[in-house]
Amino acid sequence: MKFMKKLRVKLRNWRREYLDFSTNTYKVIWAVIFFLLVALILNLDLIPNQVDLRAGQVSQSDITAPRTITFIDEARTSELRQRAADTAPRVYEEDSTVEENVLKKVDNLFAAVTAERKFFYNNKISLTEENETEQGQINEAVSEDSAEEEENNLTAAEIKNFSQAEINEIADLTSAEIDYELSQESLGVLITLNQEELSEIEDRTLNLLENKLGSRILPSDLVSAREELRQSAMEMDISRDQRLAIAEIAETVIAANMFLNQEATASRRQEAISEVEAVEKTVRQGEIIVRKGDVVTEADIEILERLGLQKGGINYYNIAGRILISFILVLLLGFYFYKYQKDVWHDNSRLLLIELLILTVVFFAKIMTFFQNPFVDFMVPTAMASILLTVLISSDTALITTLFVSLLIAPIYDMNFNIVLTSFLAGLIGIFSVTRVKERGDIIRAGLNVSFILIFLIGGLSLLQQNQDWTYLLWSIGGGIVNGLLVGVLANGLLPYLEDLFDMTSSVKLLELSNPSQPILKRMLVEAPGTYHHSVIVGNLAETAAEDVGADSLLARAAAYYHDIGKLKRPYFFSDNQFGGENPHDKTSPNLSALIIKSHVKDGVEMAEENGLPSKIIDIIKQHHGTNLISYFYQQALQDNKHDDIEKKDFRYDGPKPQSKEAAIIMLADITEAAIRSKNFNKNNHDRIEGFVRGLVKDKLIENQLDQSNLTLSDLDTIVKSFVKVLTGIYHQRVEYPDKLLKEMKGGNNSD
């Protein structure tokens, strides 16, 4: 017992030094440490690398999926999109100049043949020098008369006189005049034709090409188009050499008249790709991924990596992403408390409690991923932190922290929406279940509520996702049930330790302290019974008034029970416990008596610290007399003193003045109960009691004892009415029973 008291004293000193420090130095240090620990837990790989396989290897054992996952099959999706792009229709546009260019090439060919053979013939039959002038004049006259008819035309006889060598030479000259190549054989055929035959061949060639160019010819269709032209040429009713010449000319000059529109085609390809949806692949828990003796494929490796079973290198991008998420969430949480919950922001012990509970839940979640089982996936005890924060701080703090924790565990479970949603909703159920907790059993019931809700929540998520794996569903529901039980046990077990460690007072703690079986209250009942009964009445007054003005009624009652425990050190010096006997103050000086009376506050603080009472109650013990004057001994000192050296401050309590509504209410209840008990007037008179109480409250208001308590004048009026209501009930007039009736009642009892 002594060890526990010493330990509590050490913890209290540690809190004062590190948790209650007024500057922000420790706040910053804790925030940095908190962020580093969160980032470390998120990136700490607790899952052992079970396999190290490569594509093409033979598996030495069966490998099964430890949990159900759904992911995008990138390979299949890419294949379908490529197929859609390849099959997307191409966009072609017609070039109207192609036909004109093709026909022009044919015209140029036949014109060149006619011109070159005429040119060659003229050079061959040049006149001799003796007849050059005369003959030239004659030729010039003839030429002027028939230039249009015979400029390029040769007779069949003239053409027939060409030797093979001369034909080849004319063919070379013709080839130089056109921009494509034809064989010597085809050119030779054209050169040896008379003008009528040559014109017929030209017309046939042009007609053949015009018919073909009347239809669409794609670049990919040129081969078949040339084959069709050759076939059509070979079907003509002319000599074989002429058919071959026409075929070669047509095959050579033909060109595609439809060309691909690259921009429009690319747009259609992209549209086709966008219409292909990503292919999702689901691997269910217990499914065999690779069988023993099978050759491992790339698809198997991808599934193993998705499940975290494949050994791989360090994913620095993943680590950086988790660190960034941690930083943003921690920053937002801190900003929320700084902006909207100033009381939490300025209380280092509360901030440290929040950080500790967050780390605990996140660490639990990380450990549970080790098992890779749906049973433990839904056992993350987020509601434990929610319940503890609701009981120890407030539901608002618990709500924002629950949201923070739920978002923080998302990266641990690969952004699994089911885990995040169940974690958050379980925390909400925990908060709602302990909003008005009255005993530790309420925390256990809150855990059962979490289990009950998670059964339906997990089932609903399964139906929503059309999951037909009943084994997985049963395991998941089982994990949800255990989650609630675990939350209840952990929250109930950790609550008293967190209260002692962080010096926080929950309603459960206050209820326990209000129990008369507490050792210090039992000791007061035996050693200072008057003080005990006085404290009980003060507790009733304070509780009622606190509830009426919106203060913490449970704290007011508990603090009232302990506000005078310092009187246990010298109970007989206080009128509460003298019961008409000898008054020790008759033998002491007024100064010493005042010092003894004042010391009960200091003694009470020391006893409270030794017994591990919460700081809220200790503060009320310090403040319940404020800086009030011990007027009785002050007046006595003035009467006894002959040198006028009495100072008022020596007869005042050390304070401080009440700093809270609860402390001020207990001060007023204390003086009201003591004054009412000491006055000899008709206490059955309701108006007399009310006037007397209002006078007492008015005196404390004038003495500025209530300046720092945040009580308003309206609150003071409400407090007076509450006190009067309780005191009237205590001092109500009782009916006096006649002696005969008493005898009859006693006789009746005896007969029973």
Side-chain angles (χ1 to χ4, degrees):
M1 188 68 178
K2 291 182 178 180
F3 172 76
M4 292 301 297
K5 290 182 179 180
K6 291 180 179 179
L7 180 61
R8 286 173 178 168
V9 171
K10 289 183 179 180
L11 285 175
R12 194 178 300 275
N13 293 335
W14 182 82
R15 286 196 303 269
R16 289 172 180 170
E17 183 176 359
Y18 296 105
L19 299 183
D20 301 327
F21 206 75
S22 58
T23 66
N24 291 326
T25 303
Y26 291 103
K27 195 189 305 297
V28 174
I29 293 175
W30 296 328
V32 172
I33 294 175
F34 173 64
F35 164 68
L36 292 177
L37 288 176
V38 168
L40 178 63
I41 293 174
L42 291 184
N43 290 287
L44 185 62
D45 188 8
L46 298 180
I47 304 174
N49 294 319
Q50 298 179 356
V51 294
D52 185 12
L53 296 175
R54 296 290 181 271
Q57 290 183 350
V58 177
S59 176
Q60 302 300 317
S61 61
D62 289 342
I63 302 175
T64 59
R67 68 179 187 277
T68 298
I69 61 168
T70 299
F71 60 93
I72 303 299
D73 190 340
E74 299 291 351
R76 180 59 178 164
T77 302
S78 178
E79 178 185 347
L80 292 177
R81 287 175 177 171
Q82 185 60 45
R83 184 183 301 172
D86 293 340
T87 57
R90 273 63 172 165
V91 179
Y92 289 92
E93 293 182 353
E94 184 177 3
D95 188 350
S96 59
T97 64
V98 171
E99 181 175 357
E100 180 181 351
N101 293 334
V102 169
L103 298 180
K104 187 175 181 180
K105 287 181 179 182
V106 175
D107 288 339
N108 291 340
L109 169 63
F110 284 92
V113 169
T114 302
E116 291 304 328
R117 71 182 181 182
K118 178 62 176 176
F119 174 79
F120 185 85
Y121 178 78
N122 288 339
N123 288 338
K124 177 182 176 183
I125 62 173
S126 298
L127 299 174
T128 61
E129 292 181 359
E130 292 80 5
N131 299 323
E132 185 177 34
T133 303
E134 182 180 356
Q135 187 66 38
Q137 292 175 352
I138 298 172
N139 289 340
E140 183 177 354
V142 174
S143 176
E144 289 176 355
D145 294 336
S146 59
E148 292 186 15
E149 297 178 3
E150 299 182 358
E151 180 182 2
N152 291 322
N153 295 332
L154 296 177
T155 64
E158 292 171 339
I159 295 171
K160 190 174 182 180
N161 289 332
F162 288 141
S163 65
Q164 186 61 44
E166 291 173 337
I167 292 174
N168 291 339
E169 188 174 351
I170 296 173
D172 292 337
L173 293 173
T174 303
S175 295
E177 293 297 323
I178 59 177
D179 56 358
Y180 51 93
E181 293 184 1
L182 285 176
S183 66
Q184 291 283 344
E185 291 79 5
S186 296
L187 289 173
V189 171
L190 297 180
I191 292 170
T192 59
L193 294 176
N194 59 43
Q195 194 60 40
E196 184 180 353
E197 292 174 336
L198 188 62
S199 297
E200 182 182 357
I201 295 300
E202 181 180 4
D203 292 339
R204 287 177 178 272
T205 304
L206 290 174
N207 290 334
L208 182 64
L209 289 170
E210 285 176 351
N211 291 335
K212 188 60 183 174
L213 289 170
S215 60
R216 296 175 50 180
I217 303 177
L218 303 177
S220 58
D221 298 334
L222 278 175
V223 175
S224 61
R226 290 188 178 105
E227 291 178 355
E228 291 176 6
L229 287 172
R230 173 170 284 275
Q231 184 177 356
S232 298
M234 298 306 293
E235 293 176 353
M236 293 180 180
D237 186 18
I238 54 179
S239 66
R240 185 174 185 277
D241 291 340
Q242 292 175 1
R243 292 198 301 266
L244 290 174
I246 293 174
E248 183 178 1
I249 295 170
E251 287 179 330
T252 303
V253 299
I254 191 67
N257 58 7
M258 302 295 293
F259 295 92
L260 182 67
N261 186 326
Q262 298 287 351
E263 184 177 349
T265 300
S267 177
R268 287 201 177 180
R269 287 170 60 92
Q270 192 59 41
E271 183 179 353
I273 291 174
S274 63
E275 291 177 354
V276 177
E277 296 183 357
V279 179
E280 287 190 350
K281 185 172 184 178
T282 299
V283 178
R284 306 206 175 274
Q285 189 263 339
E287 181 179 342
I288 297 179
I289 304 169
V290 182
R291 295 184 182 276
K292 181 179 180 180
D294 286 352
V295 177
V296 181
T297 64
E298 291 289 350
D300 297 332
I301 296 295
E302 182 182 4
I303 296 174
L304 293 175
E305 290 176 348
R306 295 277 184 178
L307 289 167
L309 301 177
Q310 170 67 7
K311 182 178 180 181
I314 299 175
N315 190 336
Y316 293 101
Y317 291 103
N318 189 279
I319 293 175
R322 294 189 179 196
I323 292 176
L324 185 60
I325 290 174
S326 305
F327 177 75
I328 293 174
L329 290 177
V330 170
L331 194 65
L332 290 175
L333 183 67
F335 179 78
Y336 172 82
F337 288 132
Y338 171 76
K339 188 73 174 177
Y340 300 105
Q341 291 196 17
K342 298 285 187 181
D343 55 335
V344 175
W345 177 257
H346 294 297
D347 190 338
N348 288 340
S349 61
R350 292 187 180 187
L351 288 176
L352 190 57
L353 172 63
I354 294 170
E355 292 168 355
L356 178 63
L357 290 176
I358 290 173
L359 287 172
T360 302
V361 174
V362 174
F363 186 69
F364 259 105
K366 190 64 179 181
I367 288 180
M368 288 177 180
T369 59
F370 171 80
F371 299 97
Q372 296 289 298
N373 189 286
F375 179 75
V376 295
D377 283 350
F378 292 94
M379 285 175 57
V380 181
T382 305
M384 174 198 69
S386 306
I387 290 173
L388 290 173
L389 290 176
T390 303
V391 173
L392 293 175
I393 302 179
S394 69
S395 57
D396 292 341
T397 302
L399 180 60
I400 190 66
T401 305
T402 301
L403 177 60
F404 174 83
V405 172
S406 300
L407 294 176
L408 201 57
I409 65 175
I412 297 178
Y413 285 93
D414 298 326
M415 311 307 292
N416 189 324
F417 174 78
N418 291 359
I419 302 296
V420 174
L421 183 61
T422 53
S423 174
F424 179 66
L425 293 183
L428 286 184
I429 298 302
I431 293 172
F432 298 154
S433 300
V434 295
T435 303
R436 294 185 175 275
V437 62
K438 294 297 182 182
E439 56 183 355
R440 295 193 182 275
D442 292 338
I443 298 178
I444 298 296
R445 282 189 286 273
L448 295 177
N449 291 341
V450 172
S451 295
F452 181 74
I453 296 299
L454 285 184
I455 293 174
F456 295 97
L457 177 59
I458 295 172
L461 289 172
S462 178
L463 294 175
L464 184 64
Q465 297 174 349
Q466 298 181 357
N467 187 356
Q468 302 298 324
D469 190 346
W470 294 104
T471 302
Y472 176 85
L473 177 60
L474 292 176
W475 275 109
S476 300
I477 291 177
I481 295 173
V482 175
N483 184 337
L485 300 177
L486 185 65
V487 163
V489 172
L490 288 176
N492 202 33
L494 290 175
L495 181 60
Y497 296 99
L498 294 177
E499 288 175 330
D500 289 339
L501 180 61
F502 294 97
D503 191 24
M504 293 185 177
T505 308
S506 67
S507 56
V508 176
K509 181 73 172 179
L510 293 174
L511 286 169
E512 291 178 348
L513 292 174
S514 302
N515 193 321
S517 63
Q518 289 290 327
I520 195 168
L521 294 181
K522 291 175 67 176
R523 179 185 167 192
M524 188 187 298
L525 179 61
V526 174
E527 299 179 17
T531 300
Y532 175 82
H533 291 291
H534 160 74
S535 299
V536 171
I537 296 175
V538 171
N540 292 336
L541 291 170
E543 181 181 22
T544 303
E547 188 169 353
D548 289 344
V549 299
D552 190 339
S553 59
L554 200 53
L555 173 62
R557 183 175 72 172
Y561 286 175
Y562 292 90
H563 79 284
D564 274 344
I565 58 174
K567 294 180 179 180
L568 280 172
K569 195 167 186 178
R570 304 176 188 88
Y572 46 86
F573 276 92
F574 299 89
S575 60
D576 302 340
N577 307 303
Q578 291 173 357
F579 306 113
E582 183 180 1
N583 189 348
H585 291 289
D586 294 339
K587 300 178 182 181
T588 60
S589 65
N591 296 70
L592 180 59
S593 295
L595 182 62
I596 293 173
I597 295 299
K598 286 199 303 182
S599 66
H600 89 276
V601 175
K602 180 182 177 181
D603 295 336
V605 171
E606 292 177 353
M607 293 179 66
E609 290 178 345
E610 291 175 359
N611 287 271
L613 294 182
S615 60
K616 288 184 178 180
I617 292 180
I618 295 175
D619 291 339
I620 291 176
I621 293 175
K622 291 179 183 178
Q623 302 164 15
H624 82 278
H625 280 299
T627 57
N628 285 327
L629 178 69
I630 308 175
S631 58
Y632 178 82
F633 293 110
Y634 174 68
Q635 296 296 333
Q636 189 177 17
L638 289 177
Q639 294 175 3
D640 296 345
N641 185 61
K642 299 178 181 180
H643 302 288
D644 195 22
D645 59 351
I646 300 298
E647 294 188 15
K648 227 174 187 182
K649 65 178 183 178
D650 295 333
F651 292 86
R652 285 190 180 277
Y653 286 97
D654 297 329
K657 295 178 182 179
Q659 306 294 306
S660 64
K661 289 184 178 182
E662 293 80 11
I665 290 171
I666 290 175
M667 169 190 278
L668 297 175
D670 185 27
I671 61 173
T672 298
E673 196 282 329
I676 289 290
R677 181 162 40 85
S678 64
K679 294 296 181 181
N680 292 319
F681 62 82
N682 184 11
K683 297 182 177 63
N684 294 324
N685 190 327
H686 178 275
D687 295 334
R688 182 75 181 273
I689 291 178
E690 182 176 355
F692 186 72
V693 173
R694 288 190 181 277
L696 293 174
V697 174
K698 182 179 178 181
D699 290 342
K700 296 307 167 187
L701 185 63
I702 294 173
E703 293 172 7
N704 300 322
Q705 294 295 321
L706 307 176
D707 290 354
Q708 302 172 18
S709 65
N710 295 323
L711 286 175
T712 65
L713 293 177
S714 176
D715 291 337
L716 293 177
D717 182 66
T718 303
I719 290 171
V720 169
K721 293 178 180 179
S722 299
F723 285 176
V724 171
K725 180 174 61 176
V726 174
L727 292 172
T728 302
I730 294 175
Y731 296 110
H732 68 278
Q733 185 175 6
R734 291 171 176 80
V735 178
E736 183 177 356
Y737 292 101
D739 293 340
K740 183 178 180 181
L741 179 60
L742 290 174
K743 291 180 181 179
E744 290 178 358
M745 292 176 64
K746 289 180 180 179
N749 292 336
N750 292 336
S751 63
D752 290 341

